[in-house]
Amino acid sequence: MNEQVAIQTPPPPLTDPGTIDYIHTGPGTLAGTYLRLFWQPIYVSRKLEAGRAVPLTIMNQKLALYRSQDGKVHCVENRCAHRGALLSTGWVEGDVIRCPFHGWAFGPDGQCVHQPLEAAGYAKNIRIGGYPTREYLGLVFAYLGEGEPPEFPTYPEWENAKFVSAQIDTRPCNWFQNVENFQDEGHVFFTHRRSAFEDLDLTQIPKIKTEKTPWGLSQTSLFPDGRRRATLFGMPNIGMFAVHPDNIKRQGEERNAEESAWQMFLDYRVPVDDESHLQVHAIAVFIDGEPSEDYKKRWEDFSDAEAEAHEVAAKVLSGELPYDAIAEKCHHVPLAQDEVVQVGQGVIADRRRGIENLGASDTGIVAIRRLYTEELTALAEGRPLRTWERPEGLLPLGGAE
Ligand code: FES
Ligand SMILES: [Fe+2]
């Protein structure tokens, strides 16, 4: 009798996006299903007024996000189940949202609760998507997956910081390019050559070490003179790093003591669609004493610095400005620099072998792709997924001190 031979499938090549697709995240895709297992930040809390709704696209899914008069935030599918009008253009009444077309109203769980032109009893059969939300660190998070949401991960260091600034901006390229950037230590020495990262003394090329952690990965640069710089990557789309405040100013600009505090970034990359994504930042600012109103206001106006960075990045990409103009023209220098290199890779980077040629310095990128390959393969095969938790005290210490 023939014994059955177990056929082992070799692991997919890490550079072949056709094998494991971490690019596409719409409903029903593998990476989209995986990302939907986690709470995702989707909006800045202070920008959502009570009684208002806004339209959002997250992972190719149209959502209406609204805040009821009691201050609670709700998130439903942005399509009226009657004839498809956008619910985000409707009225917020208590905790329901009413369609402006024929008045159907939906509750936070997506249940239709009123149809003014229909007989009673029809509404109970009608339901759209409704998703749990949570506000934390100045951001609105939503759980867009099936079933009960997982425990909400918290970050005590951010809760304890004197001041946390929440910001979101959109970058016009696929999300995974910016996820890879979390562990691309080598780019700092070139992309950010003219920025406050100069403090790192970029003439010294460090040894780069990537290690697994219970949360994802950590990457450490060890410089010949003993300094070290560390960044963390948390699955599935979180980066944590410390930044010197001089990164957020024009070259030559003066800073007062309040503005010289270190900042720690908790960053998320959330797909909007396959060709753009949100960069979400919860920035903990470690200042002495209480922040002044003026200081807080400046952080609130941060979106001006982001608009400026997008504009300059676009001009560099089109050839209108040289790359080094970024350092003189932008307040948020690294933001524009990263945008130029990532958008320059193409809206969706071509990772096929031979077109992309990875080197020994790309260990962080390979490690991220490997984590995704492992997790998405397990998901596709119905095997258990890993749980990712940040151990207490795991922080991106070191830096350009
Ligand atoms: S389309 Fe919304 S009530 Fe008719
Ligand atoms: Fe960068």
Side-chain angles (χ1 to χ4, degrees), residues 181 187-188 191-192 197 334 338 342:
N181 196 57
H187 93 286
V188 172
T191 307
H192 304 304
F197 284 109
D338 281 327
Q342 287 172 31

Side-chain angles (χ1 to χ4, degrees), residues 42 51 91 99 187 251:
I42 58 171
W91 299 280
C99 178
H187 93 286
Q251 281 200 340

Side-chain angles (χ1 to χ4, degrees), residues 95-108:
D95 66 352
V96 309
I97 187 157
R98 188 179 297 280
C99 178
F101 210 170
H102 314 93
W104 288 21
F106 299 86

Side-chain angles (χ1 to χ4, degrees), residues 24 46 54 67 99 149 159 191 201 205 223 241 256 347 356:
H24 301 95
R46 67 173 185 278
V54 290
R67 190 187 290 282
C99 178
E159 290 173 32
T191 307
D201 181 3
I205 297 292
F223 291 87
F241 45 94
N256 62 31
V347 174
E356 175 190 72

